[in-house]
Structure formats: C-alpha cells, structure tokens
Amino acid sequence: MAMAVELPPGTRSTPAWGATVSPPRIVFEDQFLLVLVKPAGLVMHPACGHADGTFWDLLCELFAARGLPERPRLLHRLDSATSGLVCVPKTLPAHRRLERSLRLGRFSKGYLGLVTGRAPATGLLTAPLGRDLADRRRVCVRPDG
C-alpha cells in the first residue's frame, strides 16, 4: 500500500547540505570546543544567494545530532573558496572566552596562499584588508583597512 505525505511549506525533506556534501570532518573535540575542516566551495553561513546548504547549516545538524542545547556560534569565517580549520565553541561561555582571547591577541588566524607566476620563495605578506567597494561580498587589500 502506497502512502503520500505532504510536507508543510519550508520543511526540508533532505539535510541542508544535500547529498553531495558530507558532514565536516572533526579534527579536535572536547567539552567546550569543536575544530572542523571546512572544505573549499562551501559557503560559511546563509547570505544573499545562499539561503541554505552552508557550513552553518552543517553545524546546526551536527549540534542537533549530538543533543547540544546551544546553537552554533561562529568565531571566524573563511571565504567560500577557502578550505581550512574552523573553531566552533559548543557553549555560550566558551564562545565569550574565545572571542575575548581573539580580541586581545592571545591567538590569531593564519593563512597559507598558493601563488602562480613569480613570487619570492619565502616571505610574509602583510596588507590591510577591507570590504571591496565595488562588491560588498568580497574582501580586498585596501590602504584604509
């Protein structure tokens, strides 16, 4: 006997990330913190043009599956084309402590870039970043920071 089920509008019948993206790999976890691998090509959080299927959606599913009472809170973001490690506090107090530590410079973020063409074999690139005036969705080097 076949049965049809009609879902209310806005209800997802599949996980937010779809069948082609697997849940993020956890590289560290304790009672306060998760460190996950964000793959390149995955948008960090819902925004214009990306209502769902984001890293944040994955975190919501992961938190729900683990019975965590808090909602995910992101300390930092990576561009959609960037892969890397993302620290996700599991509790509001952990988020507040890590946010304060980041603000006070007790830890920092680092990036490794790949360059095509001619570039020095080693070195440190330091330049002020800011929102691209021509495209708010992009970040670029800006003298005014």
Side-chain angles (χ1 to χ4, degrees):
M1 174 177 172
M3 179 195 284
V5 176
E6 189 171 318
L7 297 173
T11 303
R12 291 188 180 127
S13 59
T14 59
W17 57 85
T20 59
V21 180
S22 60
R25 184 169 57 96
I26 299 169
V27 296
F28 175 82
E29 180 174 12
D30 65 14
Q31 66 188 46
F32 306 107
L33 181 70
L34 280 164
V35 179
L36 306 121
V37 176
K38 181 210 142 328
L42 185 61
V43 175
M44 281 297 289
H45 56 81
C48 181
H50 297 283
D52 59 16
T54 66
F55 187 79
W56 193 81
D57 291 318
L58 293 170
L59 289 175
C60 288
E61 298 279 341
L62 182 63
F63 273 47
R66 290 173 177 242
L68 295 171
E70 303 278 345
R71 68 172 177 81
R73 290 175 174 83
L74 296 172
L75 280 171
H76 57 96
R77 299 178 300 203
L78 295 173
D79 290 341
S80 62
T82 304
S83 64
L85 298 177
V86 178
C87 298
V88 181
K90 290 176 154 181
T91 65
L92 183 56
H95 179 268
R96 287 181 177 146
R97 288 189 71 164
L98 287 169
E99 188 176 50
R100 185 169 189 266
S101 293
L102 183 62
R103 189 175 58 250
L104 294 174
R106 292 185 180 144
F107 71 91
S108 61
K109 301 184 293 182
Y111 296 89
L112 173 65
L114 301 177
V115 178
T116 59
R118 299 191 136 191
T122 63
L124 179 65
L125 175 65
T126 59
L129 298 178
R131 189 69 60 191
D132 188 332
L133 296 176
D135 184 352
R136 267 198 52 72
R137 297 171 296 175
R138 294 176 47 118
V139 173
C140 65
V141 173
R142 293 200 23 204
D144 60 354

